[in-house]
């Protein structure tokens, strides 16, 4: 029999398969599960266990960023326009969100 905590997690957890690699994306704020207002700016963590990842990546997600703010930072032909696959996966849940890697080099 499945434990109730497995059917209804207390913290947000997503198992990810991005570019053929598996990892865990999780948050430490339980309000993300029940209060849509907490989805303004929040933190997620990602761990894949891959050899190139030496520590858990700390990501800051901003769901109310504006597309014109990003346009000012980068030109339209900038190679920085390409986004890591993990960011694109996050945007399947929070469309248009900006993802800050907080000093970690983006991977995936």
């Amino acid at each position: 029999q499945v434990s109730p905590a497995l059917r209804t997690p207390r913290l947000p957890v997503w198992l990810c398969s991005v570019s053929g690699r598996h990892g865990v994306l999780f948050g430490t704020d339980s309000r993300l599960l029940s209060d849509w207002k907490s989805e303004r700016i929040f933190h997620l963590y990602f761990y894949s266990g891959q050899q190139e990842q030496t520590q858990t990546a700390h990501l800051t997600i901003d769901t109310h960023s504006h597309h014109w703010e990003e346009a000012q930072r980068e030109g339209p032909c900038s190679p920085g326009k390409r986004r890591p696959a993990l960011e694109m996966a996050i945007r399947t849940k929070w469309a248009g969100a900006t993802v800050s890697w907080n000093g970690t080099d983006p991977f995936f």
Side-chain angles (χ1 to χ4, degrees):
Q1 184 174 3
V2 176
S3 164
L6 291 175
R7 291 183 293 211
T8 309
R10 292 190 178 119
L11 295 173
V13 176
W14 296 272
L15 299 176
C16 303
S17 177
V18 181
S19 302
R21 294 181 174 179
H22 298 85
V24 178
L25 183 66
F26 62 96
T28 57
D29 186 356
S30 62
R31 293 178 302 160
L32 279 174
L33 295 171
S34 60
D35 183 10
W36 62 269
K37 294 176 202 166
S38 63
E39 292 185 2
R40 167 67 170 91
I41 295 177
F42 55 94
H43 303 280
L44 294 177
Y45 302 88
F46 182 77
Y47 185 73
S48 68
Q50 299 292 323
Q51 186 175 11
E52 65 270 10
Q53 186 180 6
T54 58
Q55 61 185 20
T56 302
H58 172 211
L59 309 172
T60 301
I61 315 301
D62 182 353
T63 60
H64 290 146
S65 60
H66 303 290
H67 66 278
W68 59 82
E69 292 172 348
E70 185 174 358
Q72 291 175 353
R73 292 190 302 241
E74 299 175 348
C77 298
S78 169
K81 280 294 197 188
R82 293 189 61 199
R83 299 289 180 227
L86 180 60
E87 285 186 30
M88 300 311 292
I90 290 169
R91 288 186 181 132
T92 63
K93 172 127 176 81
W94 295 284
T98 58
V99 178
S100 170
W101 288 75
N102 298 310
T104 301
D105 288 330
F107 53 90
F108 256 74

